[in-house]
Amino acid sequence: MVAIWYDKIPDKTVVWSAKTEYKLATAPTGSHVQITKEGLSLTSPEGDSIWRAKPEATVSEGAMLNNGNFVLLNGGSEYENMWQSFDNPTDTLLPNQSLQLGLGGVLTSRFTDTNYTTGRFQLYFQDFNVMLSPLAFPSQLRYNPYYHAINDASVGNASRLVFDKSGEIYVETTGGTRNRILPQVDNTLDTEVNYYRATLDFSGVFTLYAHPRNTSGQPRWRIMNYVPDNICDAIFNDYGSGSCGYNSYCSMENDRPTCNCPYGYSLVDPSNESGGCQPNFTLACGADVQQPPEELYEMHVAKNFNFPLGDYEKVEPYSQQECQQACLHDCMCAVAILEVDTCWMKRLPLGNGRQLPIRDQHFVYIKTRLSPDFYPGLANRELPAAPDSKKENRAKSIILGSLIASLVVNSILLAAVALFFLLKPKLKKVIQASALLETNLHSFSFEALKEATEDFCKELGRGSCGIVYKGKLETADSCNVIAVKRLDRLAQEREKEFRTELSAIGKTSHKNLVRLIGFCDQGINRLLVYEFMSNGTLADILFGHSKPIWNLRVGFVLGIARGLVYLHEECDSAIIHCDIKPQNILIDEHFNAKISDFGLAKLLLFDQSRTNTMIRGTRGYVAPEWFKNVAVTVKVDVYSFGVMLLENICCRRSVMTMEPEEEEKAILTDWAYDCCVEGRLHALVENDREALSDIGRLQRWVKIAIWCIQEDPEMRPTMGKVNQMLEGLVEVANPPSPNPDI
C-alpha cells in the first residue's frame, strides 16, 4: 500500500494510507508510485491505475513535510498547495491537522491493528456535531452514534475538529467556542518532547497517543486519553454486533477493550480478536435431533457477562433450574440469561456482549454439546448415555473424571525444576520469600492452601516429584478453581537454580502462558499454585477421536507462537522452553492455547544468546544441535514449534507406525516436505474441506514449518519472524529440504 509512517522511532506507525472510496488501494509487487503533472498515481506492473490523487491544477512537485503531511505543489510565481494528505485522512490526525465540516471530515478505523483495510467504526460530522458510530460492515451505513462531541447545543454548531500544534484536540463551533473532544489530560502536552497522534482505533475508541522523541531504551506509544470511557457499554444498538464481533463479549483491560469468546466458542478468524466467535459444535434442530436434549447438550454456567439485546423469548418467574431446562429443550436457544427470576432466551448470533460485575442474581447458561461430540464431524458417532438427573453422585464422578484427565498434565508442570527436590531426605533450608518479592507471585500460608484443598482430599494426579490437588480460592465476590502441586523434597544443590527459575516464571505475564499464581514456602512445606485449565492438553484435542475444526487449530498455532515470542524476545531474560510439544500446551475454557511446563526451561542471562546444557526435551521434537555437543539457542524452540505446527495442520503425531504401502507418511516432517514440493497438500490434510478452503494460509504455514525444522539453526527464522509470517505480514519463500544430506 501507499502509506505515511513515523520513520524515526522503532515502531514504524502508519498514520495515512491511500484509499479509493473507503477501500484500501492495495498494490501487487512491482507497482509504481509516480508524480506527474496530473498528480500522484499508483499503477500496477502492467500500467493499470490503482489509485490517483488528481488536483484541479497542474502539479510541479511533491513534498513530504516534517509534520507528516504529503503535499502536491503548483510551481507558479508562488508555490500553491494543490493536494495534501491532511485533507484526505484515513484513521489518524496529527498535530496541525484538522477535519473540516463538508470537506472530507471523516475518519474511518482500520479493520484490525495490522490490517489497514476499512474497519467497523467512523468519526464524522452530522447535524452540526462530531459523532462516533459503528458501521454496517462492510457497507458504509452508519448505525446510531455512541458518542457526541457537543452535548450542549447552546455552545453552537460544530464547524471544525482541530488537533492544534500544542497537542490539544477540540471542536471549533460557529459560535467561536472551543469544546474539548477529550477530557483534560493529567500530563502537560509537549510536542518538543513527544510525538502525538489521535487515532480512531479498530476497536472504535478515539485515542490520543504519545511517543517520546528520544528513542533510547524501548519507548512505546502510551495512551494519554480516549473517548468513550467504556466502549463496551457505550455501543447499544438493535442492529450490529456491538463493540466486539458476534457471539463475543467485551471487557475493558488496561484502558483497552478486549473481546472474549464464551465457553465452547472460538474466534472465527484467530488473527482477528474482534472479529467474532463461533461455536465449536453444532446445534441441531427438528428432524436432525434423534436423542433427548439431555443426551446431546449440557448447560455451562457463567456469571460475568451479558448479551442485553436480541432476546426472542422472556419467561418469568423462573428458577435457575427452570431457566436452564427451558433453553436445553428449546432447539433455537443458544444462551439463556437469568436476571433475578426473569429468564431471557437468546438465539445465534449474539450481539452487544459486554462483561458485567458478578452478581448473586445474574446467571448465564450456555448450551454446549456433550463430549465426545464437542467438535463438528462426529454426528454419526454413538453418543454416551446421558447422566440420570436422579443420580447426582454419578454425574459428579463423570465431571471429576474429566477434570482429573485434564489436570494430570498439570502434574508435570515444572517437573524438572521439582526434580531438584528428590535427593534430599529432609528439608533443612527453605526459599526465602524475599527472593521472590519482585515477581507477581502470591505467597500463601500452608493453612490457607490446606483449607482451599479441603485438607488435600481431592487428588487430581501424581507427578515424579509431587501430587496435584484440586482447590478453590474464595474471595468476597468470586470463587476460583486452582491446581495445587505439593512437592515432595528438594535437592539441596539445585535450590539456587530452583529459586532463579521460579522467580523468572513468576515475572512472566502473557495470555498464552499458563499462569503460576503463587507458592507456599513454610517450614518443610513447598507448594505451587497454578490457574486451572479445563480443556486438557493440545495433544488430547489434536490426537483424539475427532478432528477439531480448522479455525480452532489456527487459533492454537497463533497463540503458541505469540507465547514463544514473549519468552524469547519480550522477557527481561530470554527463556528457552526446551520442551515444546502438544502435551505441554494446555487449553483453557475459552480454547486459548497456553504454554506450560517451564521445568525444563533454560534461562539466558540478559547479554547471552546461547547456552551450554545437557540434552533436554522430548524425542521427535528435539533440534539436531542438541546431539552435536554445541551451544544451543532459542532456535531449538523454533525447531520444536515447526514439528508441532505440522501436527496442528495434519492432526497426527510426528512419528507413526504405518503399513508398508504408506511408509512415506511415517515421518511427518519428511512427508510434509514431499507434499509441499509435489503440490499434494490435500493429502497432507486428508481432504479437510475447511483447511483446503483456506488454501493460501495452508500453503504458507506448511512452508513456515519447513523453514522452522531446518537442520542448520542459522537458517531457521526467529519466533518473531515466524509470527509475522503466520499472520501474513511477511512473504514466505520456498524452503529448502530440511535434511540437505539425505
Side-chain angles (χ1 to χ4, degrees):
M1 63 183 184
V2 177
I4 297 171
W5 64 90
Y6 281 94
D7 195 50
K8 288 192 174 182
I9 60 176
D11 184 358
K12 308 296 185 184
T13 308
V14 171
V15 296
W16 180 88
S17 56
K19 294 188 177 181
T20 303
E21 296 180 352
Y22 301 108
K23 294 182 179 179
L24 182 69
T26 55
T29 301
S31 299
H32 300 277
V33 177
Q34 288 181 307
I35 294 178
T36 66
K37 63 181 181 180
E38 286 82 21
L40 182 67
S41 64
L42 172 65
T43 56
S44 70
E46 293 76 26
D48 299 325
S49 177
I50 299 174
W51 171 83
R52 184 182 297 271
K54 189 175 182 180
E56 295 180 356
T58 301
V59 172
S60 62
E61 61 184 81
M64 182 72 252
L65 306 184
N66 203 39
N67 61 0
N69 190 16
F70 187 84
V71 297
L72 298 176
L73 304 172
N74 182 335
S77 57
E78 293 184 5
Y79 276 100
E80 185 177 358
N81 188 345
M82 306 305 301
W83 181 93
Q84 59 180 351
S85 61
F86 270 17
D87 287 341
N88 301 271
T90 49
D91 65 346
T92 297
L93 293 178
L94 298 172
N96 287 315
Q97 186 175 4
S98 63
L99 292 181
Q100 192 80 26
L101 175 64
L103 297 175
V106 174
L107 296 180
T108 305
S109 67
R110 65 186 65 164
F111 188 66
T112 70
D113 192 38
T114 56
N115 185 335
Y116 295 87
T117 55
T118 299
R120 300 191 299 122
F121 301 94
Q122 203 165 76
L123 181 151
Y124 59 98
F125 287 88
Q126 182 173 300
D127 299 330
F128 302 102
N129 203 341
V130 177
M131 301 180 178
L132 291 171
S133 285
L135 300 175
F137 185 85
S139 75
Q140 292 296 300
L141 173 68
R142 295 171 183 143
Y143 291 138
N144 293 335
Y146 55 88
Y147 177 80
H148 298 75
I150 299 178
N151 295 313
D152 183 1
S154 64
V155 301
N157 297 324
S159 63
R160 205 162 58 120
L161 175 63
V162 179
F163 191 177
D164 67 21
K165 62 182 180 181
S166 67
E168 294 287 350
I169 303 175
Y170 54 86
V171 175
E172 199 172 77
T173 69
T174 53
T177 62
R178 294 182 174 184
N179 194 66
R180 289 182 183 274
I181 192 171
L182 295 173
Q184 178 71 42
V185 297
D186 295 334
N187 306 50
T188 302
L189 301 177
D190 190 344
T191 53
E192 297 297 321
V193 176
N194 297 312
Y195 296 116
Y196 293 99
R197 63 179 173 94
T199 299
L200 179 59
D201 293 327
F202 68 92
S203 62
V205 181
F206 186 59
T207 308
L208 175 63
Y209 292 94
H211 191 293
R213 289 177 178 263
N214 181 359
T215 58
S216 60
Q218 292 183 327
R220 295 184 178 181
W221 289 101
R222 66 182 187 277
I223 298 170
M224 303 297 291
N225 220 323
Y226 58 92
V227 289
D229 290 336
N230 186 336
I231 194 168
C232 299
D233 296 336
I235 300 178
F236 199 79
N237 289 324
D238 290 329
Y239 300 102
S241 63
S243 52
C244 291
Y246 288 107
N247 304 326
S248 63
Y249 63 93
C250 177
S251 62
M252 293 296 292
E253 299 177 12
N254 299 320
D255 295 330
R256 295 291 85 181
T258 299
C259 299
N260 311 275
C261 293
Y263 175 81
Y265 289 65
S266 62
L267 292 173
V268 174
D269 180 357
S271 62
N272 179 14
E273 293 187 359
S274 60
C277 305
Q278 62 184 352
N280 299 324
F281 51 89
T282 54
L283 285 173
C285 221
D288 294 330
V289 180
Q290 302 297 323
Q291 289 91 11
E294 289 85 359
E295 295 183 13
L296 289 173
Y297 305 108
E298 63 181 348
M299 304 302 293
H300 178 82
V301 183
K303 299 192 68 173
N304 65 329
F305 59 90
N306 192 10
F307 299 96
L309 298 178
D311 312 297
Y312 72 89
E313 190 71 84
K314 171 187 175 183
V315 285
E316 63 181 2
Y318 259 35
S319 67
Q320 295 183 40
Q321 183 66 21
E322 288 173 325
C323 188
Q324 291 186 68
Q325 288 298 310
C327 185
L328 182 66
H329 286 267
D330 185 339
C331 71
M332 301 298 295
C333 180
V335 170
I337 307 288
L338 183 68
E339 192 70 45
V340 188
D341 62 354
T342 301
C343 184
W344 306 88
M345 313 275 278
K346 302 174 185 292
R347 64 167 70 94
L348 299 179
L350 304 165
N352 288 278
R354 73 267 329 271
Q355 190 174 53
L356 298 176
I358 294 177
R359 304 194 304 270
D360 290 338
Q361 294 183 311
H362 175 85
F363 298 90
V364 184
Y365 303 114
I366 307 166
K367 184 191 287 185
T368 60
R369 200 81 174 225
L370 278 168
S371 179
D373 196 19
F374 196 76
Y375 303 101
L378 283 185
N380 297 323
R381 289 178 58 87
E382 183 179 351
L383 294 171
D388 189 334
S389 59
K390 296 181 180 180
K391 298 179 180 179
E392 187 174 348
N393 290 336
R394 179 169 171 258
K396 288 182 177 179
S397 298
I398 294 172
I399 294 171
L400 182 59
S402 64
L403 290 175
I404 292 174
S406 65
L407 282 173
V408 161
V409 180
N410 282 339
S411 68
I412 65 170
L413 203 62
L414 277 171
V417 172
L419 282 173
F420 301 160
F421 292 81
L422 286 173
L423 300 178
K424 187 174 180 180
K426 196 170 183 180
L427 187 62
K428 297 179 180 178
K429 188 177 179 182
V430 298
I431 299 176
Q432 296 301 317
S434 60
L436 299 167
L437 288 179
E438 295 181 358
T439 75
N440 56 7
L441 297 181
H442 182 79
S443 177
F444 293 94
S445 70
F446 180 73
E447 288 301 319
L449 293 183
K450 184 177 180 181
E451 180 180 348
T453 58
E454 299 180 8
D455 201 14
F456 305 102
C457 70
K458 298 179 181 179
E459 182 179 325
L460 297 174
R462 291 173 177 260
S464 59
C465 54
I467 303 174
V468 180
Y469 299 92
K470 180 182 178 181
K472 291 183 179 181
L473 289 178
E474 297 187 6
T475 61
D477 57 356
S478 66
C479 178
N480 298 313
V481 182
I482 55 173
V484 179
K485 186 172 186 178
R486 191 172 184 179
L487 302 175
D488 289 339
R489 48 194 177 274
L490 176 68
Q492 182 175 358
E493 66 274 13
R494 308 307 295 273
E495 183 174 314
K496 181 178 181 181
E497 186 175 347
F498 169 78
R499 275 204 307 273
T500 302
E501 297 205 20
L502 184 60
S503 177
I505 295 166
K507 292 178 182 178
T508 61
S509 178
H510 193 276
K511 70 176 185 178
N512 295 114
L513 301 182
V514 173
R515 186 163 62 97
L516 179 61
I517 298 171
F519 65 97
C520 172
D521 170 26
Q522 185 175 331
I524 63 171
N525 297 302
R526 297 287 185 86
L527 300 96
L528 301 173
V529 182
Y530 300 100
E531 65 174 321
F532 178 76
M533 303 293 286
S534 60
N535 275 314
T537 72
L538 179 60
D540 297 333
I541 294 176
L542 289 183
F543 312 138
H545 293 295
S546 62
K547 179 183 290 187
I549 61 176
W550 172 248
N551 278 341
L552 196 64
R553 283 139 59 196
V554 169
F556 292 155
V557 169
L558 293 175
I560 298 164
R562 291 166 187 155
L564 283 174
V565 170
Y566 175 82
L567 290 177
H568 291 183
E569 302 176 13
E570 298 174 9
C571 290
D572 292 337
S573 297
I575 299 176
I576 307 177
H577 186 281
C578 297
D579 200 18
I580 292 294
K581 59 181 179 180
Q583 291 80 0
N584 284 340
I585 307 299
L586 302 185
I587 310 300
D588 70 8
E589 64 173 350
H590 301 298
F591 284 83
N592 295 311
K594 299 194 177 188
I595 301 170
S596 71
D597 199 347
F598 293 90
L600 294 177
K602 180 68 178 180
L603 300 176
L604 293 178
L605 298 178
F606 183 76
D607 58 349
Q608 279 186 305
S609 62
R610 53 183 67 228
T611 183
N612 288 284
T613 183
M614 59 185 291
I615 293 179
R616 304 180 182 210
T618 300
R619 184 179 180 183
Y621 303 90
V622 175
E625 54 265 36
W626 282 112
F627 304 99
K628 297 180 180 179
N629 194 28
V630 297
V632 298
T633 69
V634 292
K635 294 294 184 71
V636 298
D637 284 348
V638 176
Y639 183 94
S640 302
F641 176 82
V643 177
M644 191 169 60
L645 174 55
L646 289 175
E647 292 181 321
N648 267 271
I649 291 171
C650 306
C651 289
R652 55 152 285 187
R653 300 182 187 276
S654 60
V655 180
M656 295 178 65
T657 301
M658 294 289 183
E659 297 296 329
E661 62 272 14
E662 292 189 324
E663 281 187 354
E664 65 165 351
K665 301 180 181 180
I667 308 299
L668 178 58
T669 52
D670 295 341
W671 183 47
Y673 178 73
D674 293 339
C675 289
C676 181
V677 172
E678 298 166 8
R680 295 189 291 119
L681 294 184
H682 62 282
L684 199 60
V685 296
E686 295 183 343
N687 295 311
D688 184 332
R689 291 183 179 180
E690 290 179 321
L692 292 174
S693 67
D694 193 9
I695 189 64
R697 193 200 304 264
L698 176 61
Q699 291 172 333
R700 187 171 72 251
W701 281 22
V702 171
K703 290 194 289 186
I704 294 169
I706 296 171
W707 275 113
C708 290
I709 60 173
Q710 292 294 310
E711 183 173 326
D712 182 359
E714 297 298 326
M715 294 184 66
R716 297 175 210 149
T718 64
M719 280 309 304
K721 186 69 172 290
V722 168
N723 193 48
Q724 290 179 325
M725 292 192 293
L726 289 171
E727 294 183 351
L729 304 178
V730 176
E731 291 188 7
V732 184
N734 291 327
S737 171
N739 302 307
D741 297 331
I742 298 178

